Amino acid sequence: MHTREEKLQAFGRLLDIMDDLREKCPWDKKQTMESLRVLTIEETYELADAIMDNDLEEIKKELGDILLHMVFYAKIGSEKEAFDIGDVLNGICEKLIHRHPHIYGDIEVENEQDVKQNWEQIKLKEKANKGVLSGVPRSLPSLIQAMRIQEKVAGVGFDWENKEQVVEKFHEEWSELQEEVNQNNKQKMEEEFGDVLFSLINYARFLEINPDNALAKTNNKFLIRFNFIEQQAKMQGKMVHELSIDEMNKFWEIAKHRPE
């Protein structure tokens, strides 16, 4: 591992390279915050993939890509005389100190939940003229957005008392969905299905499970198992759609018991 001095030197090296690229590279010279935005989103998802794969080498590479983007935004900010990387770093340092009074102040906490509630309440005070949910990005994927909504309102005390209440709410929402299914009311079915998903996400929160991670793992598991079915079909000289459902199920059961 590198020393603190070596880490600072490496960061300085990146800043120097960013200066060179912005001055000399035709592509880098053309970039704006708006043009970088979609690339940053893509890099973030690539990091997320590497994390799900537990590929530490790939995580290291993707972190470098994202760090480059952060430095790039700060470089453009300095060109606009709005802020530079020093402002960015000092800003996050001050925010972290302010939002951790149990470390840098005299607030006492008993557990992680206390920390999260304090965090949300401090953020609310910082944004006194904004609503509790104003900080939830509109462009977040719906599942993650639901998680953040629930966490934020829980942080100000709007929450269920226990997971049994959440389970009861889920069954209530499920019954309402089935009523609309019986009526074949598509619009209402969609609405009630959303309520069912929202209640399940709430339940995951009470179980201290990240529902986005859980679904991502299930998706990946399905991909691996279905890929196995396709491979078996090819070994028989067939396309996967040429297999009978019984053959597919047989290969699925084999895939389930293979190491993944």
Side-chain angles (χ1 to χ4, degrees), residues 159-163 166 201-208:
D159 202 5
W160 301 99
E161 293 179 2
N162 53 62
K163 64 178 180 292
V166 182
I201 292 167
N202 235 335
Y203 188 47
R205 184 168 58 86
F206 271 80
L207 295 178
E208 298 183 352

Side-chain angles (χ1 to χ4, degrees), residues 121-157:
Q121 289 169 4
I122 291 170
K123 286 171 68 176
L124 195 60
K125 289 178 182 177
E126 291 173 351
K127 301 175 180 179
N129 297 324
K130 297 183 179 180
V132 173
L133 299 176
S134 62
V136 180
R138 296 185 306 275
S139 57
L140 275 177
S142 298
L143 193 152
I144 299 175
Q145 187 181 58
M147 288 169 51
R148 294 298 295 131
I149 288 171
Q150 293 172 7
E151 289 171 349
K152 283 185 173 292
V153 298
V156 296

Side-chain angles (χ1 to χ4, degrees), residues 158-173:
F158 188 71
D159 202 5
W160 301 99
E161 293 179 2
N162 53 62
K163 64 178 180 292
E164 287 74 25
Q165 292 176 328
V166 182
V167 172
E168 184 178 342
K169 181 63 176 177
F170 165 75
H171 287 301
E172 175 188 326
E173 299 293 358

Side-chain angles (χ1 to χ4, degrees), residues 70-155:
M70 301 306 101
V71 169
F72 210 147
Y73 287 116
K75 176 65 177 176
I76 296 173
S78 68
E79 292 169 355
K80 296 177 179 291
E81 298 185 351
F83 60 86
D84 63 19
I85 193 65
D87 296 313
V88 173
L89 295 173
N90 285 321
I92 187 59
C93 288
E94 293 302 324
K95 180 189 289 186
L96 289 172
I97 291 170
H98 181 61
R99 292 186 181 178
H100 289 79
H102 54 290
I103 302 297
Y104 301 101
D106 55 5
I107 299 297
E108 294 185 4
V109 295
E110 294 184 3
N111 51 44
E112 177 192 2
Q113 190 59 35
D114 287 351
V115 173
K116 290 173 69 175
Q117 288 184 346
N118 281 341
W119 180 280
E120 294 298 343
Q121 289 169 4
I122 291 170
K123 286 171 68 176
L124 195 60
K125 289 178 182 177
E126 291 173 351
K127 301 175 180 179
N129 297 324
K130 297 183 179 180
V132 173
L133 299 176
S134 62
V136 180
R138 296 185 306 275
S139 57
L140 275 177
S142 298
L143 193 152
I144 299 175
Q145 187 181 58
M147 288 169 51
R148 294 298 295 131
I149 288 171
Q150 293 172 7
E151 289 171 349
K152 283 185 173 292
V153 298

Side-chain angles (χ1 to χ4, degrees), residues 6 9 15 25 71 88 110 123 150 156 158-159 161 188 208 212 234 245-246 248-249 251:
E6 288 171 335
Q9 288 176 345
L15 295 179
C25 175
V71 169
V88 173
E110 294 184 3
K123 286 171 68 176
Q150 293 172 7
V156 296
F158 188 71
D159 202 5
E161 293 179 2
K188 282 290 185 179
E208 298 183 352
D212 187 61
K234 287 180 181 179
I245 189 63
D246 288 339
M248 289 185 184
N249 285 332
F251 292 137

Side-chain angles (χ1 to χ4, degrees), residues 39-51 53 55-70:
L39 301 177
T40 305
I41 293 171
E42 181 179 340
E43 295 292 357
T44 303
Y45 277 106
E46 290 179 359
L47 172 61
D49 284 347
I51 292 171
D53 292 339
D55 187 337
L56 296 180
E57 183 64 26
E58 195 64 24
I59 290 172
K60 180 187 72 175
K61 293 177 182 178
E62 298 302 340
L63 285 173
D65 290 340
I66 290 178
L67 186 55
L68 169 62
H69 280 231
M70 301 306 101

